[in-house]
């Protein structure tokens, strides 16, 4: 493996770990905001207890997310100096907005939120809670805007080897930004809800006391209510994201569908579920609304302008993993509604399904990013700059490999610490005695 391969591996490794924490930060911040708003509106103590308990886990996610994101930012300079030099005037600015406008907003108001109990008014405390949520959401927006511009680079000209953005608003709000941001934001909320519900299911399966079980049963119900709104929405937005991809990145769609040859006129392209199982005309109908619609195949594109076979295979299976999990979570949500209606939410077999589903949202999100990033190859900025042209030229592959191992060990330690402290928090349970 050369420096390009190792740098791609390191960046993917770092991004795959770091993304876990913003996912939970966005989902938990929304839940916290809903709980505090309901508490102030109803003066029901149950919402206050929910808010105080899940805040502890939010603080954990925020801390690890902050630390794990630092190496990712430095890698743009150490591993991808050529890309940063060529595209940094725009890309760096957008990521700067994420740090100065979004992250700083979230961090500042987190201090007021955590230390402001009984020191600021309830209205100010709610406002701080809302700003945490807004900051987390804005972080996701700016990151997706930067990444979407790499996918669909508009408002840009190439001058002297540099990518000069001539229209900032067009570049930021390119055709991919809003749908991809919505897809990612909803994924964060959905993933967090199923993680929280899985934790609740574990408690309900345990020998905890009745007060603790009632608390987590309430959380489970709140998560299920939110999931009813979020899960179907994610399926719809995912389809919209595919329509954007087929218009602006047809070879990526050909890769994640493993569609090699363009279907002839008058003959529809099949939708391959898994190798050997397909729906006739399904792909044409899904992407063009016509049973015989034309869908470009991989062979329509030059070999060096499309993902290599290994990458296409990864993208193909990652896409199916993402979509398959999306439908699993939909059916699990529907089963939850039925069990709630039948007063069977605490059936052990049903609860175990939620425990097993706890990591599925994270797996689906990681798979979706693999589809998005590997499917774009060999371009770091689509059709404007190749990934091979963006890597730093003076790096030693052994050094990149060694630091990748170090980062991975560090991330494993962070992950273990998160699981341990989350376990401690859940085992201790809510603080029923805390005064309001």
């Amino acid at each position: 493996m050369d420096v390009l391969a190792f740098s791609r591996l390191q960046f993917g490794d770092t991004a795959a770990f770091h993304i876990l924490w913003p996912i939970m930060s966005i989902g938990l911040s929304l839940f916290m905001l809903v709980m505090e708003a309901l508490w102030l509106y109803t003066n029901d103590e149950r919402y206050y207890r929910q808010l105080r308990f899940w805040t502890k886990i939010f603080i954990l996610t925020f801390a690890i997310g902050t630390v794990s994101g630092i190496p990712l930012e430095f890698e743009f300079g150490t591993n991808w100096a050529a890309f940063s030099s060529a595209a940094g005037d725009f890309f760096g600015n957008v990521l700067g907005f994420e740090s100065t406008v979004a992250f700083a907003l979230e961090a500042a108001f987190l201090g007021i939120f955590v230390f402001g109990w009984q020191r600021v008014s309830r209205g100010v405390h709610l406002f701080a809670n809302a700003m945490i949520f807004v900051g987390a959401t804005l972080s996701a927006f700016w990151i997706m805007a930067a990444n979407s511009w790499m996918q669909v680079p508009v408002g840009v000209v190439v001058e002297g080897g540099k990518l000069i953005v001539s229209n900032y608003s067009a570049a930021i709000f390119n055709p991919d930004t809003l749908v991809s941001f919505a897809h990612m934001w909803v994924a964060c909320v959905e993933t967090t809800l199923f993680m929280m519900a899985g934790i609740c299911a574990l408690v309900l399966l345990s020998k905890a006391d009745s007060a603790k079980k009632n608390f987590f049963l309430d959380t489970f119900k709140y998560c299920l209510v939110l999931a009813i709104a979020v899960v179907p929405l994610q399926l719809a937005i995912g389809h919209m994201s595919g329509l954007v991809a087929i218009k602006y990145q047809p070879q990526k769609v050909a890769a994640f569908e493993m569609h090699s040859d363009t279907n002839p006129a008058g003959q529809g392209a099949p939708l391959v579920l898994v190798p050997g199982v397909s729906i006739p005309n399904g792909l044409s109908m899904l992407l063009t609304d016509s049973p015989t619609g034309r869908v470009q195949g991989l062979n329509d594109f030059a070999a060096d302008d499309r993902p290599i076979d290994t990458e296409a295979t990864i993208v193909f299976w990652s896409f199916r993993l993402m979509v398959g999990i999306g439908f699993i979570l939909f059916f699990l949500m529907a089963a939850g509604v039925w069990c709630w209606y039948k007063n069977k939410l605490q059936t052990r077999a049903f609860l175990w399904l939620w425990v097993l589903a706890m990591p599925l949202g994270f797996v689906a999100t990681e798979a979706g990013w693999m589809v998005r990033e590997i499917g774009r190859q060999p371009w770091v900025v689509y059709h404007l700059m190749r990934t091979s042209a963006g890597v730093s030229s003076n790096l030693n592959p052994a050094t990149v490999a060694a630091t990748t191992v170090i980062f991975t060990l560090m991330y494993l330690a962070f992950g273990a610490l998160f699981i341990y402290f989350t376990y401690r928090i859940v085992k201790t349970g809510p603080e029923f005695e805390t005064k309001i």
Side-chain angles (χ1 to χ4, degrees), residues 117-236:
W117 290 105
Q118 298 179 344
R119 291 182 174 87
V120 298
S121 68
R122 291 186 178 185
V124 170
H125 198 271
L126 176 66
F127 180 75
N129 194 343
M131 290 301 99
I132 293 171
F133 169 70
V134 170
T137 297
L138 281 176
S139 287
F141 171 79
W142 288 118
I143 290 170
M144 292 308 302
N147 184 268
S148 292
W149 177 78
M150 296 165 68
Q151 307 281 343
V152 186
V154 297
V156 59
V157 295
V158 181
E159 296 180 1
K162 292 181 69 70
L163 304 180
I164 308 299
V165 172
S166 56
N167 188 328
Y168 258 68
S169 62
I172 291 172
F173 295 98
N174 64 76
D176 184 67
T177 296
L178 293 181
V179 68
S180 293
F181 164 67
H183 194 34
M184 185 63 199
W185 188 88
V186 175
C188 294
V189 176
E190 181 178 2
T191 297
T192 306
L193 291 175
F194 278 87
M195 179 204 71
M196 294 170 63
I199 292 173
C200 296
L202 277 173
V203 176
L204 293 172
L205 287 165
S206 71
K207 297 180 180 179
D209 60 70
S210 59
K212 187 175 180 181
K213 283 191 173 183
N214 288 336
F215 174 88
F216 283 99
L217 181 60
D218 284 343
T219 308
F220 189 93
K221 291 177 179 178
Y222 301 149
C223 290
L224 185 54
V225 169
L226 291 172
I228 292 170
V230 168
V231 175
L233 179 63
Q234 180 68 318
L235 295 177

Side-chain angles (χ1 to χ4, degrees), residues 306-318:
R306 68 190 191 212
I308 61 176
D309 290 345
T310 303
E311 292 171 332
T313 301
I314 294 173
V315 170
F316 174 83
W317 286 109
S318 296

Side-chain angles (χ1 to χ4, degrees), residues 18-92:
H18 172 67
I19 198 176
L20 299 173
W21 315 104
I23 287 174
M24 289 184 280
S25 292
I26 290 172
L28 285 169
S29 66
L30 174 63
F31 186 84
M32 289 156 49
L33 179 60
V34 171
M35 289 299 104
E36 184 159 16
L38 287 172
W39 171 49
L40 294 183
Y41 180 73
T42 66
N43 205 33
D44 189 330
E45 182 180 319
R46 292 178 302 170
Y47 300 124
Y48 170 79
R49 303 298 177 196
Q50 292 285 338
L51 172 64
R52 293 299 296 261
F53 176 81
W54 292 103
T55 295
K56 298 175 185 178
I57 297 179
F58 173 83
I59 293 171
L60 268 180
T61 66
F62 182 84
I64 298 178
T66 301
V67 174
S68 63
I70 294 173
L72 199 62
E73 295 183 0
F74 278 105
E75 284 173 30
F76 286 114
T78 56
N79 298 49
W80 302 98
F83 164 74
S84 298
S85 176
D89 288 351
F90 173 77
F91 191 82

Side-chain angles (χ1 to χ4, degrees), residues 259 261-269 281 284 290-296:
H259 183 56
D261 298 308
T262 303
N263 52 301
Q267 181 178 329
N281 304 330
S284 292
S290 169
T292 58
R294 180 176 180 270
V295 180
Q296 282 186 284

